[in-house]
């Protein structure tokens, strides 16, 4: 990679700490994204279109521009993957193998950039397959210790879908992989099985989950593996007294599924979602019988029981519209349920589960700016925290701004 030297300096001025001003970098800024726990990323690409360079800076929580760097994607479109639990961000160039490879740039919190790639053909050859072009990417998740890719491989002659997980450990970019149990195409069509979705992660384990129906009973299955893709003991739970409603599932964050759904305009639907959070397992579902949100989990005896349910959200009728959004914010997880335009929200924390104000959750803003939740801001306001004090900026005309001005709220 080029040795970059910039004469461009970022000027930060404080007017009795009432505002922060940040001037443009090498290119005019046209994106602003929170890196949870680290600060705000200010990004701009080459306005001439002559290069695919992206210039970006990190405005930290002390109100200082910590660094200015550039990355050089291999594609015109790259995909920023962030997390509140990771000290790294990624620009993933390929959502489908290009010449069998997935290419990306890794950047750590000090601003060091590492362009690299991995070979998906070598991965699936380990499982006696040789068709990487048939792979379908389902998810990219930035977990505490590794970047995780979830791929599916349809095998029509066996009437199954193979499930592969590839992990890239942050500290050395080494690639590991494992295979989850296959999914029956027929059972998915019948609504008796479903695809894996991300449930949660910590330093030791990464969890994906799906709901299956076995001999007339519903089971929540958690498939787990280490950051080095070593399979761990699976967990299975059986929620009772519920009828799962097929719901649009949204995990609020910059993940692979967000980009895939944005580009394809497709909705991702499942019958609820298993959750691993703060060392505990949960299952959240919009219940068709009660027309409400239910959250199951373990009680003090370790039994899997109903922990919390909302009041009835909709009139009893068939074909209700339904969605569930999951919003991780530091040590709290918000679950937002909507049934026929009636919304409720639960908050999960160390204190347990409680109902919270759903109207304050701006889902569009939260994806790129989780701190906006703390200030009840609208979708046109970006919040940057300085020593736990919110500073706000109007982003309606972002690309026209020569200087970014954050005003103390």
């Amino acid at each position: 990679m080029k040795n970059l030297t910039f004469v461009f300096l970022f000027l930060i001025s404080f007017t009795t700490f009432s505002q922060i001003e940040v001037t443009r970098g090498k290119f005019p800024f046209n994106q602003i994204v929170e890196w949870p726990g680290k600060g705000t990323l200010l990004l701009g690409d080459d306005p001439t279109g002559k290069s695919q360079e992206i210039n970006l800076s990190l405005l930290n929580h002390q109100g200082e521009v910590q660094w200015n760097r550039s990355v050089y994607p291999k594609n015109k479109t790259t995909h920023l993957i962030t997390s509140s639990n990771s000290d790294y961000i990624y620009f993933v160039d390929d959502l489908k193998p290009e010449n069998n490879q997935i290419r990306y740039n890794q950047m750590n919190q000090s601003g060091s950039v590492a362009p690299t790639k991995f070979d998906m053909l070598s991965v699936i050859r380990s499982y006696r397959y040789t068709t990487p072009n048939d792979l379908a990417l389902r998810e990219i998740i930035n977990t505490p210790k590794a970047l995780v890719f979830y791929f599916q491989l349809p095998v029509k002659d066996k009437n199954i879908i193979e499930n592969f997980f590839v992990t890239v450990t942050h500290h050395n970019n080494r690639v590991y992989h494992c295979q989850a149990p296959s999914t029956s195409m027929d059972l998915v069509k019948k609504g008796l099985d479903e695809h894996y979705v991300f449930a949660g992660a910590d330093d030791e384990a990464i969890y994906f989950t799906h709901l299956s129906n076995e001999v007339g009973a519903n089971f929540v299955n958690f498939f787990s593996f280490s950051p080095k893709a070593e399979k761990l003991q699976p967990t299975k739970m059986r929620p009772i007294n519920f009828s799962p409603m097929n719901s649009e599932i949204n995990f609020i964050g910059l993940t692979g599924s967000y980009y895939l759904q944005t580009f394809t305009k497709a909705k991702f639907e499942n019958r609820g979602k298993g959750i691993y959070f703060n060392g505990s397992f949960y299952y959240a579902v919009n219940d068709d019988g009660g027309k409400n949100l239910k959250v199951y989990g373990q009680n003090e005896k370790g039994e899997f029981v109903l922990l919390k349910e909302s009041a009835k959200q909709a009139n009893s009728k068939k074909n209700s519209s339904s969605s569930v959004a999951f919003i991780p914010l530091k040590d709290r997880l918000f679950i937002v349920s909507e049934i026929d335009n009636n919304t409720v929200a639960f908050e999960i924390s160390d204190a347990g589960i409680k109902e919270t104000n759903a109207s304050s959750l701006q889902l569009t803003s939260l994806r790129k700016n989780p701190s906006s939740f703390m200030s009840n801001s609208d979708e046109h306001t970006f919040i940057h925290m300085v020593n736990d004090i919110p500073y706000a900026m109007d982003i309606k005309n972002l690309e026209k701004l020569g200087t970014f001005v954050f005003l103390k709220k």
Side-chain angles (χ1 to χ4, degrees):
M1 192 184 75
K2 295 180 181 178
N3 183 18
L4 298 172
T5 302
F6 293 103
V7 295
F8 299 95
L9 299 178
F10 280 80
L11 304 177
I12 304 177
S13 65
F14 297 87
T15 305
T16 64
F17 298 98
S18 63
Q19 70 179 46
I20 302 172
E21 295 186 10
V22 184
T23 62
R24 56 162 281 183
K26 183 176 183 180
F27 304 133
F29 296 130
N30 54 24
Q31 286 192 71
I32 182 167
V33 177
E34 182 175 356
W35 183 357
K38 304 297 186 295
T40 294
L41 294 167
L42 310 171
L43 302 95
D45 49 29
D46 188 348
T48 69
K50 294 180 180 179
S51 73
Q52 293 171 188
E53 177 184 354
I54 297 174
N55 184 237
L56 69 160
S57 298
L58 176 65
L59 176 65
N60 65 26
H61 290 308
Q62 287 71 51
E64 302 170 341
V65 173
Q66 187 168 319
W67 44 251
N68 173 250
R69 300 287 189 272
S70 282
V71 296
Y72 297 88
K74 298 298 189 297
N75 267 344
K76 291 182 179 180
T77 301
T78 192
H79 312 90
L80 175 61
I81 307 293
T82 64
S83 170
S84 61
N85 297 316
S86 174
D87 293 334
Y88 298 80
I89 59 174
Y90 290 84
F91 292 87
V92 178
D93 296 339
D94 306 304
L95 298 182
K96 189 174 181 64
E98 181 72 24
N99 294 324
N100 302 330
Q101 296 176 335
I102 299 293
R103 301 165 297 178
Y104 61 92
N105 282 277
Q106 179 202 70
M107 178 175 284
N108 65 19
Q109 59 184 334
S110 299
S112 297
V113 180
T116 186
K117 59 189 176 183
F118 63 87
D119 188 343
M120 275 307 298
L121 178 57
S122 66
V123 171
I124 63 173
R125 275 179 173 169
S126 303
Y127 307 98
R128 300 183 179 180
Y129 290 107
T130 58
T131 54
N133 289 334
D134 293 339
L135 286 166
L137 179 66
R138 297 284 298 195
E139 187 61 283
I140 309 171
I141 294 288
N142 195 347
T143 72
K145 296 295 183 181
L147 185 68
V148 180
F149 294 80
Y150 167 34
F151 287 94
Q152 290 185 330
L153 181 65
V155 186
K156 293 182 180 179
D157 59 337
K158 297 181 181 179
N159 202 31
I160 61 171
I161 300 171
E162 297 283 22
N163 299 290
F164 299 112
F165 293 93
V166 177
T167 68
V168 183
T169 47
H170 296 315
H171 69 288
N172 58 10
N173 274 302
R174 290 187 178 176
V175 178
Y176 304 89
H177 51 83
C178 64
Q179 182 182 25
S182 61
T183 305
S184 165
M185 293 181 180
D186 284 343
L187 290 180
V188 171
K189 290 178 182 177
K190 294 177 181 178
L192 300 177
D193 202 352
E194 59 189 20
H195 305 294
Y196 290 85
V197 293
F198 177 65
D202 55 25
D203 287 352
E204 306 298 328
I206 299 155
Y207 296 88
F208 278 73
T209 180
H210 69 106
L211 183 70
S212 63
N213 187 284
E214 303 170 26
V215 197
N218 289 303
F219 289 91
V220 183
N221 304 277
F222 292 88
F223 176 75
S224 61
F225 49 94
S226 74
K228 292 185 178 181
E230 302 157 320
K231 290 184 184 180
L232 304 175
Q233 184 67 32
T235 299
K236 179 178 287 191
M237 297 180 173
R238 182 186 176 186
I240 59 174
N241 299 326
F242 82 113
S243 50
M245 187 184 301
N246 214 37
S247 301
E248 180 183 353
I249 303 295
N250 289 295
F251 184 81
I252 303 303
L254 293 182
T255 64
S257 59
Y258 161 67
Y259 294 108
L260 290 165
Q261 292 175 52
T262 299
F263 296 148
T264 62
K265 305 299 182 183
K267 294 182 179 180
F268 176 70
E269 294 188 337
N270 254 19
R271 298 172 297 162
K273 180 178 178 294
I275 302 165
Y276 176 77
F277 186 73
N278 282 353
S280 297
F281 294 96
Y282 303 92
Y283 177 70
V285 60
N286 281 340
D287 182 72
D288 197 24
K291 297 294 182 182
N292 65 343
L293 172 64
K294 292 183 177 181
V295 176
Y296 294 81
Q298 290 175 299
N299 61 17
E300 294 178 354
K301 297 180 181 180
E303 300 166 330
F304 199 56
V305 298
L306 178 63
L307 297 178
K308 184 78 172 178
E309 67 176 315
S310 70
K312 188 176 181 180
Q313 293 169 236
N315 295 324
S316 295
K317 67 176 184 178
K318 295 182 178 180
N319 302 319
S320 293
S321 61
S322 172
S323 68
V324 188
F326 299 85
I327 307 162
L329 289 174
K330 294 184 179 180
D331 56 351
R332 295 176 293 169
L333 176 69
F334 292 88
I335 304 171
V336 183
S337 162
E338 185 174 285
I339 302 175
D340 291 342
N341 298 317
N342 296 296
T343 303
V344 299
F346 290 163
E347 174 188 334
I348 301 179
S349 69
D350 288 337
I353 306 176
K354 67 178 183 180
E355 192 161 341
T356 189
N357 182 12
S359 63
S360 65
L361 300 177
Q362 301 288 336
L363 301 187
T364 302
S365 302
L366 281 169
R367 193 177 296 280
K368 293 186 177 182
N369 186 202
S371 289
S372 63
F373 170 74
M374 308 304 293
S375 300
N376 296 321
S377 302
D378 63 37
E379 61 181 326
H380 300 300
T381 302
F382 190 94
I383 298 297
H384 174 78
M385 304 297 292
V386 178
N387 299 321
D388 295 326
I389 298 172
Y391 284 69
M393 187 182 76
D394 188 329
I395 58 173
K396 286 195 293 290
N397 298 304
L398 188 67
E399 296 185 21
K400 298 180 180 180
L401 299 176
T403 302
F404 281 13
V405 179
F406 296 86
L407 300 176
K408 186 177 179 180
K409 290 198 72 176

